[in-house]
Amino acid sequence: LEGGYAVEFARLGMDSVGIEVRQSNFDRCMYVASKAFLPNLKFIQDDVLNIKKYGRFDVVFCCGLLYHLDNPREYLKTLSEVCNRVLILDTHYATIEEAPKFKSKLSALDTHEGMIGRWYTEYDEGESTALDEKREASWENRRSFWPTKSELFQALFGAGFSSVTNEYCPRPVHNDDQRAMFVAVK
């Protein structure tokens, strides 16, 4: 959105690369970069599905993204291919029981890419699809797939990570039970 996490990683001394697809969000990132004066900070305007063309990374931080994708298992495999050591994944996930908070947006349980989960409606049929205006929605897919937490663990192991933990991460703004931070190590 604005590149805040990328800036903080750069402030810690890491070479930090942020990828943003929307022009409006990319412009915000570039503004932040112009004020941060960090030579180890770089922003790229592209779809994250193209991450492979930017090389390999020791650490990949995927925050608030996976739950906007319609093929999350496939993307976890892509992240594993570009990740040398650690993936930090902050994402929503589906639960077996219906969640009141997302009831109008989540489907009944379904299976997709061999995983159990629920489809999430990013925007309704006929709703404006001006992609640059939907700052916090998927880029091109109208629906995204949220696997259950156990399915996410299995997908991470299946993608080549040898250790996966579910970390406690308090969220005063996004206080809900269907979001977690996973740390996957090669």
Side-chain angles (χ1 to χ4, degrees):
L1 295 173
E2 290 86 26
Y5 289 116
V7 168
E8 291 307 315
F9 288 130
R11 283 185 177 152
L12 290 171
M14 300 174 197
D15 290 332
S16 184
V17 178
I19 301 175
E20 176 57 57
V21 71
R22 285 180 172 78
Q23 183 66 50
S24 58
N25 292 349
F26 181 73
D27 291 345
R28 287 179 185 87
C29 291
M30 295 308 292
Y31 175 79
V32 168
S34 75
K35 302 299 181 191
F37 305 108
L38 295 164
N40 54 336
L41 174 65
K42 178 180 178 181
F43 289 105
I44 298 168
Q45 185 176 11
D46 198 353
D47 191 320
V48 293
L49 298 178
N50 300 322
I51 192 171
K52 284 188 199 179
K53 71 183 185 183
Y54 299 105
R56 296 185 58 83
F57 304 90
D58 289 330
V59 177
V60 174
F61 181 59
C62 180
C63 180
L65 170 70
L66 191 72
Y67 57 83
H68 288 299
L69 302 179
D70 54 354
N71 293 307
R73 182 185 294 271
E74 181 181 321
Y75 192 64
L76 289 173
K77 288 178 183 175
T78 298
L79 291 181
S80 180
E81 290 174 22
V82 301
C83 179
N84 292 328
R85 295 184 181 176
V86 177
L87 167 65
I88 303 168
L89 175 67
D90 184 324
T91 189
H92 283 295
Y93 58 87
T95 55
I96 299 299
E97 62 283 340
E98 256 188 25
K101 181 175 181 177
F102 299 106
K103 190 174 183 177
S104 67
K105 295 275 192 177
L106 284 172
S107 73
L109 282 174
D110 200 353
T111 302
H112 177 63
E113 291 186 306
M115 297 186 294
I116 297 169
R118 296 177 185 271
W119 289 97
Y120 177 82
T121 303
E122 295 280 341
Y123 45 90
D124 294 323
E125 194 73 47
E127 188 179 346
S128 169
T129 56
L131 296 175
D132 202 58
E133 295 171 14
K134 296 189 174 303
R135 290 189 65 220
E136 296 183 12
S138 65
W139 180 238
E140 292 183 328
N141 47 292
R142 193 180 69 75
R143 296 186 324 154
S144 54
F145 190 75
W146 294 11
T148 63
K149 189 187 280 191
S150 62
E151 297 285 354
L152 276 171
F153 270 94
Q154 291 306 313
L156 288 162
F157 285 122
F161 294 96
S162 60
S163 174
V164 180
T165 61
N166 183 182
E167 300 297 320
Y168 174 72
C169 185
R171 283 186 183 72
V173 177
H174 300 290
N175 189 15
D176 61 68
D177 296 336
Q178 285 186 257
R179 190 161 177 167
M181 181 174 287
F182 302 89
V183 176
V185 179
K186 290 252 174 142

